[in-house]
């Protein structure tokens, strides 16, 4: 998806956030107490807020208009969740400082993106002037399920340094989608060819081993890495490693050395699933 499309959603989200802020300003936490919201409590709060706004409406907007706005916001949220795969499971907020034009809040978020879970903790500094309201994220800390991956660790460190949550969620969505695609592909071939396919690291690993029970000692290992650079660009990288019995090497069987290169060509021509399928059938 192009950056321009993401920008449209980012602008829309920012506009919705400003609108929600104006409507809910009188409900802000002035006692500096931490609050925790489950999914059920969020829905109850939305319905309660809707009833209060219907009762307090002074003619500027009818209850029907407010209901339509709420339904539109819920539809937008549902669409964005389906589009990005991101779903929040909990949120807590604590007001650390509040003056006339300055508010500091500490947020904790947890959720999942496809099959990857994540946790965020950060402080949000909001300053208000006559011209505009500006926000700055500080003290950002991110924990991801696949944090042991060196690429992911470097990317997370860069995001924590710059406090860019938009880039984090954009890249997380793409990375997690590839992660889930790899998991499902491995599961498919394990179920389809249980006697041939072995997953030494389980479904969350990055390799799959192919063995023919009738060809003792011959193994083909497909390594499927998901490269995530520090800028947040995700690239799948596949390679094939071969383990050939000594007796086969002694006969100098032609073509063994070229199998990895041929596999990479098949991936480019046929796609990942078709290339693996053809390799299994050949084996």
């Amino acid at each position: 998806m192009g950056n321009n499309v993401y920008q449209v959603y980012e602008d829309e989200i920012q506009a919705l956030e400003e609108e929600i802020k104006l409507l809910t300003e009188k409900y802000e936490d002035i006692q500096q107490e931490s609050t925790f919201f489950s999914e059920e409590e969020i829905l109850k709060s939305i319905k309660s807020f809707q009833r209060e706004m219907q009762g307090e409406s002074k003619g500027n907007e009818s209850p029907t208009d407010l209901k339509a706005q709420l339904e539109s916001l819920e539809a937008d949220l549902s669409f964005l969740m389906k589009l990005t795969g991101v779903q929040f499971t909990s949120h807590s907020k604590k007001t650390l400082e509040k003056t006339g034009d300055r508010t500091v809040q500490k947020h904790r978020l947890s959720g999942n993106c496809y099959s990857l879970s994540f946790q965020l903790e950060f402080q949000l500094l909001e300053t208000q002037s006559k011209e505009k309201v500006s926000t700055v994220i500080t003290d950002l800390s991110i924990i991801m399920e696949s944090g042991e991956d060196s690429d992911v660790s470097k990317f997370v460190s860069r995001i924590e340094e710059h406090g860019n949550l938009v880039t984090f969620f954009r890249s997380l969505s793409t990375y997690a989608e590839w992660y889930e695609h790899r998991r499902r592909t491995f599961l498919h071939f394990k179920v389809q060819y249980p006697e041939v396919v072995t997953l030494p690291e389980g479904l969350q690993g990055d390799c799959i081993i192919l063995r023919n029970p009738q060809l003792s000692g011959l193994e083909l290992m497909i390594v499927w890495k998901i490269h995530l650079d520090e800028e947040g660009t995700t690239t799948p990288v596949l390679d094939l490693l071969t383990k050939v019995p000594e007796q086969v090497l002694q006969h100098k069987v032609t073509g063994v050395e070229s199998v990895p290169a041929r596999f990479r060509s098949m991936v480019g021509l046929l796609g990942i699933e078709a290339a693996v399928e053809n390799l299994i059938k050949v084996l």
Side-chain angles (χ1 to χ4, degrees):
M1 176 175 294
N3 290 336
N4 58 335
V5 178
Y6 276 112
Q7 188 61 49
V8 171
Y9 290 124
E10 290 166 15
D11 293 342
E12 183 178 357
I13 290 172
Q14 184 177 358
L16 292 174
E17 288 176 345
E18 293 177 356
E19 181 180 357
I20 292 173
K21 177 182 177 299
L22 293 174
L23 291 173
T24 60
E25 187 175 5
K26 62 181 178 179
Y27 297 106
E28 289 182 354
D29 179 14
I30 60 175
Q31 297 179 348
Q32 300 186 359
E33 296 180 353
S34 177
T35 57
F36 181 85
F37 302 97
S38 66
E39 184 175 352
E40 181 180 357
E41 289 170 333
I42 291 174
L43 293 176
K44 288 181 179 179
S45 297
I46 291 175
K47 293 179 180 179
S48 176
F49 176 72
Q50 180 189 26
R51 289 194 297 269
E52 291 189 23
M53 289 302 298
Q54 288 176 346
E56 296 178 6
S57 177
K58 298 180 179 180
N60 293 331
E61 291 181 286
S62 68
T64 302
D65 292 335
L66 293 173
K67 181 178 179 181
Q69 289 183 21
L70 180 62
E71 291 175 349
S72 177
L73 290 173
E74 291 175 339
D76 289 343
L77 178 60
S78 177
F79 172 74
L80 288 173
M81 288 171 57
K82 291 179 180 178
L83 179 68
T84 63
V86 176
Q87 183 172 5
F88 297 107
T89 56
S90 68
H91 170 228
S92 64
K93 177 185 67 175
K94 184 177 182 180
T95 301
L96 303 179
E97 175 186 343
K98 184 175 178 62
T99 61
D101 58 354
R102 174 187 170 94
T103 303
V104 179
Q105 294 178 331
K106 185 173 184 178
H107 292 262
R108 288 189 177 93
L109 286 170
S110 64
N112 52 69
C113 185
Y114 297 103
S115 58
L116 285 180
S117 62
F118 61 87
Q119 297 178 29
L120 303 177
E121 183 174 310
F122 59 92
Q123 289 189 17
L124 186 65
L125 168 62
E126 182 180 286
T127 56
Q128 186 171 3
S129 64
K130 294 181 180 180
E131 293 78 17
K132 63 177 182 178
V133 175
S134 61
T135 57
V136 178
I137 292 175
T138 62
D139 299 332
L140 175 61
S141 176
I142 301 173
I143 299 176
M144 281 185 59
E145 181 180 332
S146 60
E148 68 278 1
D149 187 305
S150 60
D151 285 349
V152 174
S153 298
K154 292 178 183 178
F155 169 70
V156 167
S157 296
R158 182 177 177 84
I159 292 297
E160 289 176 337
E161 179 183 355
H162 296 280
N164 193 336
L165 285 180
V166 173
T167 299
F168 170 73
F169 283 112
R170 178 189 300 166
S171 301
L172 172 65
S173 176
T174 305
Y175 178 86
E177 187 173 10
W178 273 110
Y179 191 94
E180 177 68 7
H181 179 47
R182 181 180 65 184
R183 188 189 70 83
R184 291 182 178 180
T185 300
F186 283 178
L187 177 61
H188 165 75
F189 286 116
K190 179 61 179 176
V191 173
Q192 193 77 10
Y193 305 98
E195 296 182 357
V196 176
V197 172
T198 302
L199 301 174
E201 301 174 353
L203 291 174
Q204 308 302 329
D206 58 16
C207 64
I208 178 173
I209 294 178
L210 310 179
R211 297 189 185 98
N212 187 329
Q214 300 177 3
L215 301 175
S216 179
L218 176 63
E219 289 184 4
L220 302 178
M221 175 185 286
I222 300 172
V223 181
W224 183 346
K225 298 286 187 179
I226 304 174
H227 178 61
L228 178 66
D229 65 22
E230 294 185 7
E231 301 299 328
T233 303
T234 303
T235 308
V237 180
L238 284 88
D239 206 351
L240 178 66
L241 305 178
T242 60
K243 180 181 178 182
V244 184
E246 185 65 28
Q247 59 269 28
V248 175
L249 293 176
Q250 290 175 354
H251 286 83
K252 297 181 180 181
V253 177
T254 60
V256 174
E257 299 85 356
S258 64
V259 171
R262 292 181 180 181
F263 172 72
R264 288 191 291 269
S265 297
M266 279 198 301
V267 171
L269 291 172
L270 306 176
I272 297 173
E273 295 84 352
V276 176
E277 183 86 30
N278 276 274
L279 192 62
I280 292 175
K281 290 181 179 179
V282 170
L283 181 63

